[in-house]
Amino acid sequence: MKSFDVLRAELSAGTTTCERITSGYLRTIEEKKHLNALLSVFPEKALEQGKIVDKKLQNGTAGPLAGMVMAIKDVICIKDERVTCGSKILENFISLYDATVVQRLRAADAVIIGKANMDEFAMGSSTENSAYGRVKLPQDETRIPGGSSGGSAVAVRAGMSTTSLGSDTGGSIRQPAAFRGVIGLKPTYGRVSRYGLVAYASSFDSIGPFALTTKDTASVFQVIAGHDPNDSTSAEVPVPDYLSQLTKDVKGLRVGIPKEYFGEALNSEIRQSIEKKIDVLRSNGAIITEVNLPHTEYTIAAYYILATAEASSNLARYDGARYGYRKEDVHDLSEMYIKSRSEGFGTEVKRRIMLGTYVLSAGYYDAYYRKGQKVRRLIQEDFTKAFEKVDCLITPTSPSTAFKAGEKMNDPLQMYLSDIYTTSANLAGIPGISIPCGEDHQGLPIGLQILGPHFGESTLLRVADFLETT
Ligand code: GLN
């Protein structure tokens, strides 16, 4: 497991080649197949790409990500490859085009090695909802790696790729990053193009990187951030030089601690680890203040009303007629729709479609959907007020460390509560990063979350980089 920095140094010294780096990852993927982290692997294409990058390195035309090998969550389109979204309904669906993020990574000379396993349509917190089997946590295979981007987190930590991409609608990058002891960045809504990302809840979805170091996170983010005419929600805000912000200095930085995120639900070992890091920031000149986010207790309810409403509408397109799985031997169109959807979708996805349809239905819309929108606004305002006083917030990423497989599968509410500290950033559209923050008594990683104002990723990366070496 080597960071991109180390690989780049080896490439410059001539002790390795991009092709050799790629074949090393392919070997690990083969050895660790039982973890079920990847749903497809592209050995020939990746090695071919590696060779091309080696030529470019020789003639001095290589892009900023030359030497980096990446896994992409299987909800992001890669031309001519399957995009299953972890669902049976898209089992044999082949993408017709590259997502913008994939185009940008290729243009920067990253090698794409495969597609990562995930909860079906990114709905879940454990990767147990994948139609292709759960992903195992390498240090304890009876446990789950978080979700929904569990495959992307495991790929990086298990040495199957240098970095990876995930998607985060309510915590799906940050929570698995925390459970797996890697860094995961969920950017500001609109900072990274969603063109080619299969939609779950369109006003929440964002794409972001997983990496071993802050520097690697920043390197990938630098390439994928920025306006894209193909995504009308992508922002026309200039992209700063993120790497130059990694100054290892937090003097004068105003850090807020939202007391609502340190309540009873939080495991005490996690609390202690986070508090230790807060002390480190304080003793290095950061100004720590307590702040209030008074509507925090409504976060999960608002998220699960609004996200399921959007999902029920987005997933209406999988009807057996246009995409993926179609039930044969049916008598009429309506039977074809019903059977294709009933057999093609898994339990959790069906639950969400039903919930979402219900909250949008006549007679219930005002009580649920409209109310949810109002609460979303209040949560956004909480953050706006907080960021008038502080530059960033520090919280735990998740109330617990990696839980056991099966533990929460029969109790959806318990599963939903594992997103208690992450969904607020998606409701508000703000960026968040999860970084490793020690381990609990069982040796399971703990995650610390840093939240910032819209387009405040530079600050998140600066703090993450500082804490990485303390
Ligand atoms: N676990 C949350 C959900 O199931 C978040 C998922 C995500 O961010 N894609 O909706």
Side-chain angles (χ1 to χ4, degrees):
M1 229 173 33
K2 287 178 180 166
S3 70
F4 183 47
D5 256 7
V6 173
L7 294 173
R8 278 301 280 239
E10 291 180 4
L11 283 167
S12 313
T15 54
T16 191
T17 64
C18 187
E19 190 186 357
R20 236 185 289 157
I21 293 171
T22 309
S23 58
Y25 287 123
L26 287 168
R27 257 198 315 278
T28 311
I29 290 172
E30 197 48 43
E31 279 161 20
K32 300 191 175 170
K33 233 179 177 161
H34 64 284
L35 297 175
N36 203 21
L38 300 183
L39 293 177
S40 355
V41 187
F42 320 131
E44 294 87 19
K45 284 186 190 170
L47 289 170
E48 189 54 42
Q49 189 59 34
K51 271 188 210 155
I52 296 173
V53 173
D54 283 328
K55 284 214 185 85
K56 288 190 178 179
L57 282 165
Q58 271 164 18
N59 63 27
T61 57
L65 298 186
M68 185 180 285
V69 177
M70 296 187 69
I72 308 287
K73 186 177 182 181
D74 205 13
V75 69
I76 296 171
C77 294
I78 299 182
K79 192 174 187 306
D80 299 330
E81 300 295 348
R82 293 193 320 153
V83 54
T84 68
C85 298
S87 181
K88 190 179 162 200
I89 213 159
L90 287 177
E91 190 166 10
N92 297 312
F93 185 74
I94 308 285
S95 306
L96 299 172
Y97 62 95
D98 274 338
T100 299
V101 285
V102 170
Q103 282 170 25
R104 290 189 180 174
L105 293 172
R106 284 195 207 284
D109 284 327
V111 169
I112 294 172
I113 201 159
K115 311 242 9 226
N117 200 354
M118 56 181 281
D119 281 302
E120 184 174 7
F121 284 102
M123 297 174 187
S125 311
S126 65
T127 318
E128 288 166 289
N129 293 332
S130 169
Y132 304 98
R134 72 178 179 93
V135 178
K136 292 180 182 148
L137 190 74
Q139 68 262 63
D140 177 353
E141 294 184 11
T142 64
R143 288 178 192 272
I144 54 84
S148 65
S149 313
S152 304
V154 168
V156 170
R157 199 76 183 117
M160 301 179 186
S161 64
T162 331
T163 60
S164 63
L165 285 189
S167 68
D168 191 312
T169 303
S172 278
I173 292 177
R174 290 160 287 158
Q175 188 252 24
F179 283 11
R180 202 54 202 98
V182 293
I183 299 176
L185 171 66
K186 172 238 174 287
T188 306
Y189 183 76
R191 176 78 294 185
V192 173
S193 167
R194 292 178 301 119
Y195 180 70
L197 169 71
V198 178
Y200 160 14
S202 311
S203 76
F204 296 81
D205 296 339
S206 40
I207 297 176
F210 286 89
L212 294 170
T213 66
T214 312
K215 219 168 164 190
D216 289 4
T217 310
S219 301
V220 176
F221 185 49
Q222 190 77 51
V223 167
I224 61 173
H227 177 65
D228 172 17
N230 284 329
D231 175 1
S232 59
T233 62
S234 80
E236 286 193 62
V237 174
V239 179
D241 178 356
Y242 293 112
L243 283 163
S244 71
Q245 321 275 331
L246 310 182
T247 54
K248 297 271 180 221
D249 170 29
V250 290
K251 224 190 196 102
L253 190 79
R254 298 169 309 161
V255 178
I257 312 301
K259 71 168 197 292
E260 293 83 356
Y261 283 61
F262 291 82
E264 274 169 21
L266 182 61
N267 159 308
S268 62
E269 282 180 284
I270 300 183
R271 178 196 307 273
Q272 282 163 14
S273 306
I274 308 274
E275 282 170 354
K276 250 194 230 154
K277 289 286 184 186
I278 295 171
D279 285 342
V280 171
L281 289 170
R282 188 184 286 116
S283 57
N284 281 279
I287 304 152
I288 313 288
T289 23
E290 194 173 285
V291 296
N292 278 100
L293 298 170
H295 297 95
T296 299
E297 65 175 301
Y298 306 110
T299 305
I300 287 286
Y303 170 78
Y304 276 95
I305 286 174
L306 299 174
T308 56
E310 294 186 21
S312 70
S313 153
N314 275 326
L315 270 58
R317 73 190 68 173
Y318 308 104
D319 54 10
R322 286 170 291 176
Y323 300 95
Y325 179 74
R326 176 185 299 172
K327 176 71 180 167
E328 302 296 341
D329 302 325
V330 287
H331 301 100
D332 56 28
L333 186 63
S334 126
E335 192 188 348
M336 192 273 279
Y337 286 154
I338 292 170
K339 292 208 166 140
S340 301
R341 284 169 73 79
S342 302
E343 290 174 18
F345 288 134
T347 311
E348 182 61 24
V349 172
K350 284 190 240 181
R351 180 182 290 128
R352 308 264 179 127
I353 293 173
M354 287 190 276
L355 267 173
T357 307
Y358 180 76
V359 302
L360 287 173
S361 57
Y364 296 102
Y365 182 93
D366 283 339
Y368 295 108
Y369 186 73
R370 193 187 304 279
K371 191 72 165 272
Q373 292 282 37
K374 287 183 182 166
V375 174
R376 183 177 199 177
R377 170 58 65 90
L378 292 172
I379 291 168
Q380 284 166 349
E381 282 169 4
D382 281 356
F383 281 109
T384 307
K385 279 187 203 137
F387 290 126
E388 281 164 9
K389 293 191 221 111
V390 295
D391 303 308
C392 66
L393 299 169
I394 287 194
T395 80
T397 307
S398 175
S400 73
T401 50
F403 43 89
K404 290 264 187 197
E407 193 178 314
K408 298 183 198 259
M409 277 307 267
N410 297 321
D411 188 347
L413 192 60
Q414 279 310 312
M415 188 72 94
Y416 298 172
L417 284 171
S418 65
D419 305 322
I420 193 162
Y421 303 134
T422 48
T423 45
S424 53
N426 305 73
L427 283 158
I430 58 170
I433 192 168
S434 179
I435 61 169
C437 180
E439 289 175 352
D440 70 5
H441 69 282
Q442 303 176 93
L444 296 168
I446 293 172
L448 175 149
Q449 176 177 239
I450 313 161
L451 298 171
H454 293 109
F455 302 100
E457 285 89 348
S458 301
T459 309
L460 306 192
L461 291 164
R462 176 177 157 203
V463 178
D465 180 55
F466 179 83
L467 291 178
E468 197 172 305
T469 41
T470 59

